[in-house]
Amino acid sequence: VRRKRFEIGITYSYNNTWILNNDTRKSFDENSLIQTTPAFSGSYGIVANYDILSHSSVSAEFYINSKYIQKHDEFIEGTFNSKTTEFNYSKLTLLYQFNINQSPYKITPSKYTFKAGVYGASLKNHKHYYNRIIFPETDKYTATDYGIKLAIGQEKKFHNIIAGYGINADSVVNTKNRAYKKIIEIIKKYKQPALVEEYIEGRDLRD
Protein backbone atom coordinates (compact mmCIF):
# COMPACT_ATOMS: atom_id res chain seq x y z
CA VAL A 1 0.00 0.00 0.00
CA ARG A 2 1.39 3.36 -1.02
CA ARG A 3 1.67 5.97 1.66
CA LYS A 4 -0.48 9.05 1.05
CA ARG A 5 1.54 12.13 0.23
CA PHE A 6 0.88 15.85 0.62
CA GLU A 7 2.66 18.53 -1.41
CA ILE A 8 2.42 22.30 -1.44
CA GLY A 9 4.21 24.91 -3.49
CA ILE A 10 3.97 27.95 -5.72
CA THR A 11 2.62 27.82 -9.25
CA TYR A 12 2.98 29.95 -12.36
CA SER A 13 1.25 29.39 -15.68
CA TYR A 14 1.64 31.11 -19.03
CA ASN A 15 -1.32 30.61 -21.32
CA ASN A 16 -2.77 31.48 -24.67
CA THR A 17 -6.08 32.78 -23.33
CA TRP A 18 -9.24 32.71 -25.41
CA ILE A 19 -12.53 34.29 -24.29
CA LEU A 20 -15.73 33.33 -26.08
CA ASN A 21 -17.49 36.70 -26.21
CA ASN A 22 -19.60 38.44 -28.87
CA ASP A 23 -16.64 39.61 -30.96
CA THR A 24 -15.09 36.13 -30.89
CA ARG A 25 -18.37 34.59 -32.10
CA LYS A 26 -18.54 37.11 -34.96
CA SER A 27 -14.99 36.25 -36.02
CA PHE A 28 -16.16 32.71 -36.85
CA ASP A 29 -18.20 34.11 -39.76
CA GLU A 30 -16.15 33.93 -42.98
CA ASN A 31 -17.64 37.28 -44.09
CA SER A 32 -16.89 39.05 -40.80
CA LEU A 33 -14.56 42.06 -40.61
CA ILE A 34 -13.48 40.94 -37.12
CA GLN A 35 -10.71 38.44 -36.48
CA THR A 36 -9.36 36.99 -33.25
CA THR A 37 -5.60 37.21 -32.68
CA PRO A 38 -3.50 35.14 -30.22
CA ALA A 39 -3.10 36.64 -26.73
CA PHE A 40 -0.84 35.37 -23.96
CA SER A 41 -0.97 36.07 -20.22
CA GLY A 42 0.44 34.77 -16.95
CA SER A 43 -1.10 33.67 -13.64
CA TYR A 44 0.55 32.95 -10.29
CA GLY A 45 -0.48 31.52 -6.93
CA ILE A 46 -0.26 28.58 -4.51
CA VAL A 47 -1.08 24.92 -5.16
CA ALA A 48 -1.60 22.00 -2.75
CA ASN A 49 -1.80 18.34 -3.85
CA TYR A 50 -2.81 15.21 -1.91
CA ASP A 51 -2.28 11.72 -3.33
CA ILE A 52 -5.21 9.35 -2.85
CA LEU A 53 -3.91 6.35 -4.79
CA SER A 54 -0.91 5.74 -7.03
CA HIS A 55 -2.80 7.10 -10.06
CA SER A 56 -5.12 9.70 -8.56
CA SER A 57 -4.99 12.80 -6.39
CA VAL A 58 -6.95 15.90 -5.39
CA SER A 59 -5.56 19.39 -5.58
CA ALA A 60 -6.44 22.96 -4.67
CA GLU A 61 -5.10 25.91 -6.64
CA PHE A 62 -5.38 29.47 -5.39
CA TYR A 63 -4.34 32.04 -7.98
CA ILE A 64 -3.50 35.39 -6.42
CA ASN A 65 -3.82 36.87 -9.87
CA SER A 66 -5.26 35.03 -12.86
CA LYS A 67 -5.13 37.11 -16.03
CA TYR A 68 -7.21 36.66 -19.17
CA ILE A 69 -6.61 38.67 -22.34
CA GLN A 70 -8.63 38.73 -25.56
CA LYS A 71 -7.49 40.54 -28.71
CA HIS A 72 -9.49 41.35 -31.81
CA ASP A 73 -8.64 43.11 -35.05
CA GLU A 74 -11.41 44.92 -36.90
CA PHE A 75 -11.72 46.83 -40.18
CA ILE A 76 -14.02 49.86 -39.87
CA GLU A 77 -14.55 52.26 -42.76
CA GLY A 78 -11.34 51.15 -44.45
CA THR A 79 -9.12 51.46 -41.37
CA PHE A 80 -7.50 48.73 -39.30
CA ASN A 81 -8.25 48.82 -35.55
CA SER A 82 -7.23 46.64 -32.64
CA LYS A 83 -9.28 45.98 -29.49
CA THR A 84 -7.95 44.33 -26.35
CA THR A 85 -9.86 43.31 -23.22
CA GLU A 86 -8.00 42.35 -20.05
CA PHE A 87 -9.44 40.71 -16.91
CA ASN A 88 -7.66 40.12 -13.59
CA TYR A 89 -9.17 37.61 -11.16
CA SER A 90 -8.46 36.02 -7.80
CA LYS A 91 -9.32 32.38 -8.42
CA LEU A 92 -9.75 29.18 -6.40
CA THR A 93 -9.90 25.79 -8.14
CA LEU A 94 -10.63 22.34 -6.66
CA LEU A 95 -9.64 19.44 -8.93
CA TYR A 96 -9.59 15.66 -9.11
CA GLN A 97 -6.56 14.45 -11.07
CA PHE A 98 -6.05 11.07 -12.77
CA ASN A 99 -2.50 10.19 -13.81
CA ILE A 100 -1.07 7.81 -16.38
CA ASN A 101 2.56 7.28 -15.46
CA GLN A 102 5.05 6.78 -18.25
CA SER A 103 7.98 4.34 -18.17
CA PRO A 104 9.75 4.46 -14.77
CA TYR A 105 13.05 3.83 -16.54
CA LYS A 106 13.14 7.31 -18.09
CA ILE A 107 15.69 9.74 -16.70
CA THR A 108 13.03 12.41 -16.16
CA PRO A 109 9.81 11.08 -14.54
CA SER A 110 6.73 12.15 -16.45
CA LYS A 111 3.01 11.45 -16.58
CA TYR A 112 -0.11 12.31 -18.54
CA THR A 113 -2.75 14.04 -16.47
CA PHE A 114 -6.52 14.42 -16.73
CA LYS A 115 -8.14 16.96 -14.41
CA ALA A 116 -11.75 17.88 -13.66
CA GLY A 117 -13.29 20.05 -10.98
CA VAL A 118 -14.93 23.33 -10.06
CA TYR A 119 -13.69 26.86 -9.65
CA GLY A 120 -14.79 30.22 -8.30
CA ALA A 121 -13.27 33.59 -9.15
CA SER A 122 -13.62 37.21 -8.05
CA LEU A 123 -13.04 39.97 -10.60
CA LYS A 124 -10.36 42.41 -9.35
CA ASN A 125 -10.31 44.76 -12.33
CA HIS A 126 -10.68 44.87 -16.10
CA LYS A 127 -9.39 47.17 -18.83
CA HIS A 128 -10.20 47.95 -22.44
CA TYR A 129 -7.66 49.10 -25.01
CA TYR A 130 -8.58 50.54 -28.37
CA ASN A 131 -5.58 50.93 -30.67
CA ARG A 132 -3.37 50.57 -27.55
CA ILE A 133 -5.11 53.45 -25.75
CA ILE A 134 -6.98 52.70 -22.51
CA PHE A 135 -10.68 53.09 -23.16
CA PRO A 136 -13.31 54.29 -20.63
CA GLU A 137 -14.95 51.51 -18.58
CA THR A 138 -18.39 51.14 -20.14
CA ASP A 139 -19.16 47.42 -20.03
CA LYS A 140 -20.82 45.68 -17.11
CA TYR A 141 -19.29 42.41 -15.94
CA THR A 142 -20.28 40.09 -13.15
CA ALA A 143 -18.11 40.54 -10.05
CA THR A 144 -17.87 36.76 -9.60
CA ASP A 145 -17.37 33.88 -11.98
CA TYR A 146 -17.76 30.15 -11.32
CA GLY A 147 -18.08 26.92 -13.24
CA ILE A 148 -16.43 23.67 -14.25
CA LYS A 149 -12.79 23.28 -15.23
CA LEU A 150 -11.40 20.51 -17.44
CA ALA A 151 -7.74 19.98 -18.34
CA ILE A 152 -5.49 17.49 -20.10
CA GLY A 153 -1.71 17.59 -20.36
CA GLN A 154 1.68 16.17 -19.48
CA GLU A 155 3.88 16.84 -16.45
CA LYS A 156 7.62 16.26 -15.98
CA LYS A 157 9.42 16.37 -12.66
CA PHE A 158 12.88 17.84 -12.24
CA HIS A 159 13.86 17.25 -8.61
CA ASN A 160 11.34 19.45 -6.70
CA ILE A 161 10.10 21.35 -9.74
CA ILE A 162 7.19 20.17 -11.90
CA ALA A 163 6.86 21.56 -15.42
CA GLY A 164 3.91 20.80 -17.65
CA TYR A 165 1.88 21.77 -20.67
CA GLY A 166 -1.63 21.09 -21.86
CA ILE A 167 -5.08 22.40 -22.63
CA ASN A 168 -7.64 23.60 -20.09
CA ALA A 169 -11.08 25.15 -20.39
CA ASP A 170 -13.50 26.85 -18.03
CA SER A 171 -16.63 28.96 -18.34
CA VAL A 172 -16.77 32.34 -20.09
CA VAL A 173 -17.25 35.89 -18.81
CA ASN A 174 -20.66 37.51 -19.31
CA THR A 175 -20.69 41.03 -20.64
CA LYS A 176 -22.94 43.73 -22.02
CA ASN A 177 -20.85 45.68 -24.51
CA ARG A 178 -23.37 47.70 -26.48
CA ALA A 179 -22.26 50.98 -24.88
CA TYR A 180 -18.61 50.21 -25.72
CA LYS A 181 -19.44 49.84 -29.43
CA LYS A 182 -21.60 52.99 -29.43
CA ILE A 183 -18.76 55.11 -28.01
CA ILE A 184 -16.39 53.90 -30.74
CA GLU A 185 -18.92 55.03 -33.34
CA ILE A 186 -19.20 58.49 -31.71
CA ILE A 187 -15.42 58.98 -31.53
CA LYS A 188 -15.00 58.07 -35.18
CA LYS A 189 -17.87 60.26 -36.30
CA TYR A 190 -17.11 63.46 -34.35
CA LYS A 191 -13.29 63.06 -33.99
CA GLN A 192 -13.33 63.96 -30.30
CA PRO A 193 -13.59 62.24 -26.88
CA ALA A 194 -16.96 60.94 -25.67
CA LEU A 195 -18.26 61.51 -22.14
CA VAL A 196 -19.92 58.52 -20.46
CA GLU A 197 -22.21 59.07 -17.45
CA GLU A 198 -24.35 56.70 -15.42
CA TYR A 199 -28.10 57.21 -15.95
CA ILE A 200 -29.98 57.97 -12.72
CA GLU A 201 -33.76 57.72 -12.76
CA GLY A 202 -35.83 60.67 -11.56
CA ARG A 203 -36.56 64.31 -12.41
CA ASP A 204 -33.88 66.40 -14.05
CA LEU A 205 -33.38 69.41 -11.74
CA ARG A 206 -31.37 72.37 -12.97
CA ASP A 207 -30.37 75.65 -11.33
Side-chain angles (χ1 to χ4, degrees), residues 99-117:
N99 306 313
I100 299 178
N101 296 318
Q102 295 183 273
S103 173
Y105 301 104
K106 288 189 173 184
I107 298 176
T108 303
S110 62
K111 59 188 177 184
Y112 294 106
T113 62
F114 302 87
K115 301 178 182 180

Side-chain angles (χ1 to χ4, degrees), residues 12 17-18 24 33 38 47 80 89 104 108 114 117 123 134 139-140 147 153 157 167-168 175-176 184 190 198 201 203:
Y12 178 82
T17 57
W18 200 68
T24 305
L33 298 178
V47 60
F80 177 81
Y89 284 92
T108 303
F114 302 87
L123 181 62
I134 295 181
D139 294 357
K140 293 183 178 179
K157 190 169 186 177
I167 300 173
N168 70 79
T175 175
K176 297 179 181 179
I184 293 176
Y190 297 103
E198 182 180 359
E201 295 184 0
R203 293 190 301 167

Side-chain angles (χ1 to χ4, degrees), residues 33-56:
L33 298 178
I34 300 175
Q35 65 181 27
T36 302
T37 57
F40 296 87
S41 63
S43 302
Y44 58 89
I46 301 171
V47 60
N49 187 79
Y50 185 73
D51 289 345
I52 301 173
L53 300 171
S54 59
H55 295 288
S56 62

